[in-house]
Amino acid sequence: MLGGVETRSVSPVFVGRADELAALVDALGRAAGQEPQALLIGGEAGVGKTRLTEEFLAEAARRGAVVAVGGCVEIGAEGLPFAPFSTALRTLLRLLPDELAEAAAGQEDELARILPELGETPRGPHDEESTARLFELTARMLERLAADRTVVLVLEDLHWADTSTRHLLAYLFRTLGRGRLVVVATYRADDVHRRHPLRPLLAELDRLRTVHRIELPRFNRAEVRRQLAGILASRPDESFVDSVFERSDGNAFFVEELVASRESGCRTGLTESLRDLLLVRVEVLPDAAQRVVRIVAEGGSTVEYALLRAVARLGEDELIEALRAAVGANILLATTDGDGYRFRHSLVREAVSDDLLPGERARVNRRYAEAMEADESLVRAEERVIRLANYWYAANEPAKALPAVLAASVTARRRHAYSEQLSLLERAMDLWDSVPDEIRADLRPADYTEVYPPCGCDPATTPLQRLDLLAEATVAARFGGERERALKLTKLALRTLEEDGDDPLRAAWFWTERSRLIANLGRGDGWQEIATAQELVKGLPPSQVHADVLVRAAGWGMLHNPGPGNLAAAERAVEYARMIGAEETELNARITYGCLLTDSGDGATGLAELHAVKDRATELGLTVVAGRAHVNLTSQLEAAGRSREAVELAEQGVELVSRSRLLDTEAWVRGNMAESLYSLGRWDEAAEAARRTLQVGQSAAPRGSASARLAYLALARGELTEAAQQLAAAHTHFGTHDSQPQHRLPLYRLAIGLADGEGRIADVRTETADAVAHGFPLGHHRYAWPLLLASASAEADARGLPAADAGRAAALEVLRTAARSLATPAPVWAAHAEYLRAELLRAEGRDTVADWTAVEAAVRPLQRPYLLARARHRLAEALLVSGGDRERAADLLRDAHAAADRLGSRRLGEDLALLAQRARLPLTAEETHAATPAPDTDPIEALGLTSRERDVLRLVATGSTNRQIAEELFISPKTASVHVSNILAKLAVASRGEAAALAHRLRLFATPLGPGSPAAPTAPAGRS
């Protein structure tokens, strides 16, 4: 439509930008090698971003790439979420229909939130992971689509992008890992002021090494001359070049406008006002063309021809002539699909729109709204509701705007565009008091809201209240990641409730939301808010809110303060939910109840309850509940020592929740899988599961647990630096506010193991005392037994160190007292209790072969290869120290050493090798069948230490300073310092204390073990 109208103000010659174009083409080449590319093109308005992009796209098309372009819509946060992605994906659907259908297979309903052509958009589910799920699905779809072909995706005018578009773009830039995909986004740099919402995104993307940012400067004088020559098709007069360069300041679009003004006969004495410069060619158009241009300026970035015809109210011939004049003057352009019109440059549209009179602007927007209400076919169905809301709002018609804005908020919610939903709801609340009572009386909660339960009223007949909008906005803010905003909304709602009268159920609902937000923001644990909600619902008839409050209270108690009282609370929550017929709430309550049953010692009943919930939730299609059941069931199976079952169930859970992209739930299940794989000795798989948890987890808690799991692995393998880094990462993820014992106790355990490995026995005791002081709540024996065992092993390892003697008796008594309060409901914990008892005896030099025989027998059937290897190490050493059965000791050492080798536990392997060396026992089959016994190799020489370094290390192990070493060995303190540094490097340790602990742990200065050798403190194994 009017596509052949000639325009002559644009140079046919591409001027400058050689380096920038080369960078874009280079990205195209790298993408062909399955390396996704992300680029940002910035520059002031009119500097040439679009022309550069067009040249690049032409080159990409010549190279066989599939090209799709989408532009952001200026109405921004109040409308058209994901607009540029929807437009670009629609192009890909047209060009690659079968390939895109295959890439989206199985997830069409979710992806329809961005590309409605894929199917009907479902109503739910809605939660804090909804947006992340949608983003993940979009990223994977694009990767699959670009697996066998190069795809170039261009998003223009990012400075107008809605919040959801910005978030999706950031997600893609961060996570795209494979595929022949190039994503380019352009933005107007001069619009991005200090408070512009795009600014934080640009700062974030600048920190990503994978994002290439291109800034376009203005043209210099030579480039302006070349541009003018291209436009005029002749060499320009130098005085004219000077005039245009001075007036345009090198801005390419202004150069074009200056030439077009002269060529069209406009006055040559141009005004100093940029706005006047942009309007000057509009003013010389025929009146009908000027009128059409003004109407298009208010319609949005693009206006459909049918809609324009309805609004302009011109005859078709008159409208076509007006459009021909505007297109011929290079002010308007026909859209690429031939269905509508847009301004050639947004600067002109802004100038025209700003030139409208207030009443004129309202009238044009009213006509747009009236035309769309009269004929729904004028615009795309997915755009109609949101555009209608904006037109009525701009028309200053509150009575019409409120219902339209509310309907638009529902559309935004269904697309998981929660930030846009929040903006629309806030606009609705601003309009609320301006709307006549009779209009508000006709609005119904059933039509516009879904988060606040009915609680005795019929949402189809009860009038909508402002509090309903506050509730909806609170949840939209939380789902959109704007928790601070959500917290302020709950405060406003509670203040409104306090002023307007008594509505305890609504108040309880907002207090429950506030509890969740305060906990997520790290402002507290959320209990005070839950307690307030409980007081509000006390004595009220059963309701959905009442049941939700009880479930939340029981869940909080399970995680923060487990005890018999919480079991009763969970049982009451189940009864309330069942009473009101809220099965989803009931199933959630039963998960809490099942966990508390197991923690209280009734493992069989608790596990049966959890299995029943899992099966029922799966049957009903309640994937969120089924996912939570998998999380808790795998955890409880591990607590019962049934690690193999836990892994099998975790694999099923991952398959279930990954299909629905419940990312945090998947992270929790994978984290639990990592823990069970660690127990089973499948350490490489455990590490992979933990790393995958870090990749998919959206919240801090599952990521913190994954870092802790990686720290356990590093500690068991003897990688102390890595263990310390992962422990610090876990602390960062959990933060200082997280008081859940299930998170706190493993971190204490890791700190104890790290301090032991570095020879800091005082810190071992401090961490142990802090952990014991916090207490071991009901059901947390699974974390307490390993913690106490690690501390007892550290005390036994340190026996003989001068720094460890003082305070040992008190430290051992703390451990014995704490152990007496712990349950042993499963064989794995009974074995830990036996192990702890033996270690405490070893710390006092009173352990015997019988003690370690009992430990080895208790651990052997548990399918815990690392724990068993450590127990066998201890038993072998006890046999050797006591002059017992050397052949049995050799078998134990060989079995333990083989296990350590399979696991990759360097520390345990070293301990076992040195023990065998001291006892002159072979560790391998080859050594066993050798004709002569293994030579008595000096373990210090095996570590590469010289004779002088041996003497220095012996003094370091006693705690001597460099000056004391120098005096003892008749060397200078500086020489002593050099020797100490060399020793640290050869032993691969970081401190003198760690070197001393290593020398003591490996018994580097002890006498060889064997029949008749004197008893000596036994050496420790590596610990997890």
Side-chain angles (χ1 to χ4, degrees), residues 942-1004:
L943 292 171
L945 300 182
T946 66
S947 175
R948 174 60 80 185
E949 288 168 348
R950 174 204 303 264
D951 296 335
V952 172
L953 180 57
R954 178 183 288 109
L955 294 171
V956 167
T958 65
S960 298
T961 65
N962 285 349
R963 182 171 295 280
Q964 290 169 332
I965 293 170
E967 292 172 353
E968 179 72 19
L969 299 180
F970 302 102
I971 57 178
S972 70
K974 183 175 181 180
T975 301
S977 175
V978 171
H979 283 310
V980 170
S981 297
N982 291 337
I983 290 168
L984 298 183
K986 290 180 179 180
L987 297 183
V989 295
S991 67
R992 301 167 69 96
E994 194 175 339
L998 180 66
H1000 188 74
R1001 179 170 64 83
L1002 299 181
R1003 296 296 185 258
L1004 295 181

Side-chain angles (χ1 to χ4, degrees), residues 378-552:
L378 293 176
V379 299
R380 293 182 184 276
E382 68 270 16
E383 296 181 7
R384 179 183 177 277
V385 174
I386 292 176
R387 286 175 64 177
L388 187 62
N390 281 284
Y391 289 142
W392 277 126
Y393 184 79
N396 296 322
E397 297 271 4
K400 287 282 194 177
L402 179 60
V405 168
L406 289 173
S409 75
V410 174
T411 298
R413 179 179 66 228
R414 289 182 178 172
R415 300 187 72 174
H416 289 170
Y418 300 115
S419 295
E420 285 68 39
Q421 180 196 5
L422 174 60
S423 295
L424 288 160
L425 288 167
E426 290 180 332
R427 171 170 285 186
M429 287 187 279
D430 289 340
L431 290 167
W432 188 262
D433 292 332
S434 303
V435 175
D437 293 342
E438 59 271 18
I439 298 294
R440 295 204 306 255
D442 288 337
L443 302 175
R444 297 290 178 264
D447 296 326
Y448 305 115
T449 65
E450 63 178 32
V451 300
Y452 182 76
C455 297
C457 63
D458 183 358
T461 58
T462 304
L464 183 73
Q465 300 181 45
R466 193 168 185 272
L467 281 166
D468 292 316
L469 303 185
L470 279 169
E472 205 74 20
T474 297
V475 175
R478 177 161 61 84
F479 288 175
E482 300 184 58
R483 290 169 176 164
E484 288 284 1
R485 210 162 167 186
L487 194 63
K488 291 177 181 177
L489 287 167
T490 62
K491 184 177 181 180
L492 174 61
L494 290 168
R495 187 168 64 242
T496 302
L497 282 163
E498 187 177 349
E499 294 171 354
D500 291 351
D502 189 27
D503 192 344
L505 282 180
R506 240 181 229 282
W509 187 91
F510 279 107
W511 278 112
T512 304
E513 279 293 309
R514 193 167 176 81
S515 166
R516 180 184 286 110
L517 291 163
I518 283 176
N520 288 341
L521 287 167
R523 307 285 176 78
D525 58 18
W527 174 248
Q528 186 57 52
E529 291 72 24
I530 293 174
T532 302
Q534 284 184 297
E535 284 298 317
L536 286 165
V537 299
K538 188 179 294 184
L540 296 178
S543 67
Q544 178 71 56
V545 170
H546 202 154
D548 288 342
V549 170
L550 292 176
V551 170
R552 178 117 180 114

Side-chain angles (χ1 to χ4, degrees), residues 693-888:
T693 300
L694 289 172
Q695 291 172 0
V696 303
Q698 304 296 301
S699 299
R703 293 170 63 83
S705 294
S707 293
R709 193 52 45 204
L710 290 171
Y712 272 105
L713 282 163
L715 193 60
R717 285 173 163 161
E719 301 164 356
L720 297 185
T721 301
E722 172 69 10
Q725 291 173 349
Q726 293 295 347
L727 176 57
H731 274 294
T732 299
H733 287 309
F734 287 131
T736 57
H737 70 284
D738 197 318
S739 60
Q740 294 184 30
Q742 66 169 336
H743 300 155
R744 182 179 67 239
L745 293 175
L747 299 190
Y748 275 124
R749 159 68 186 92
L750 287 167
I752 289 167
L754 196 59
D756 176 28
E758 295 174 350
R760 297 182 282 110
I761 190 63
D763 289 341
V764 169
R765 291 169 180 171
T766 298
E767 297 288 349
T768 303
D770 286 349
V772 171
H774 273 97
F776 304 127
L778 181 70
H780 286 70
H781 51 272
R782 62 182 295 186
Y783 307 114
W785 281 118
L787 185 154
L788 297 179
L789 179 56
S791 185
S793 298
E795 291 290 347
D797 293 348
R799 190 167 65 87
L801 285 177
D805 290 339
R808 175 179 290 112
L812 297 182
E813 182 57 31
V814 167
L815 295 174
R816 283 194 171 96
T817 301
R820 282 194 286 270
S821 66
L822 295 180
T824 55
V828 65
W829 307 123
H832 272 76
E834 192 69 38
Y835 204 147
L836 175 65
R837 187 186 69 80
E839 285 286 38
L840 291 171
L841 291 172
R842 183 169 74 94
E844 296 171 331
R846 299 190 294 118
D847 56 319
T848 65
V849 171
D851 296 321
W852 291 110
T853 298
V855 173
E856 196 272 346
V859 173
R860 193 186 317 130
L862 298 179
Q863 297 183 326
R864 296 287 193 274
Y866 183 50
L867 194 66
L868 181 59
R870 291 164 53 199
R872 286 176 170 170
H873 175 208
R874 291 288 167 233
L875 176 55
E877 191 170 46
L879 285 166
L880 294 170
V881 168
S882 67
D885 188 339
R886 285 177 57 81
E887 186 174 345
R888 185 185 177 203

Side-chain angles (χ1 to χ4, degrees), residues 483-643:
R483 290 169 176 164
E484 288 284 1
R485 210 162 167 186
L487 194 63
K488 291 177 181 177
L489 287 167
T490 62
K491 184 177 181 180
L492 174 61
L494 290 168
R495 187 168 64 242
T496 302
L497 282 163
E498 187 177 349
E499 294 171 354
D500 291 351
D502 189 27
D503 192 344
L505 282 180
R506 240 181 229 282
W509 187 91
F510 279 107
W511 278 112
T512 304
E513 279 293 309
R514 193 167 176 81
S515 166
R516 180 184 286 110
L517 291 163
I518 283 176
N520 288 341
L521 287 167
R523 307 285 176 78
D525 58 18
W527 174 248
Q528 186 57 52
E529 291 72 24
I530 293 174
T532 302
Q534 284 184 297
E535 284 298 317
L536 286 165
V537 299
K538 188 179 294 184
L540 296 178
S543 67
Q544 178 71 56
V545 170
H546 202 154
D548 288 342
V549 170
L550 292 176
V551 170
R552 178 117 180 114
W556 187 96
M558 178 185 75
L559 296 175
H560 292 84
N561 188 29
N566 290 304
L567 184 62
E571 194 170 14
R572 189 165 63 252
V574 172
E575 292 172 357
Y576 261 75
R578 190 171 291 156
M579 196 182 306
I580 64 171
E583 186 167 12
E584 184 173 354
T585 303
E586 177 194 339
L587 291 172
N588 266 313
R590 287 174 61 190
I591 292 173
T592 301
Y593 180 60
C595 290
L596 289 168
L597 274 175
T598 306
D599 289 345
S600 65
D602 191 356
T605 305
L607 289 172
E609 181 76 348
L610 290 171
H611 273 292
V613 172
K614 171 183 70 70
D615 294 342
R616 178 59 176 162
T618 303
E619 177 188 344
L620 294 174
L622 299 174
T623 311
V624 173
V625 179
R628 183 175 174 237
H630 277 88
V631 171
N632 287 277
L633 190 48
T634 52
S635 177
Q636 294 296 341
L637 286 170
E638 175 63 25
R642 295 159 62 174
S643 302

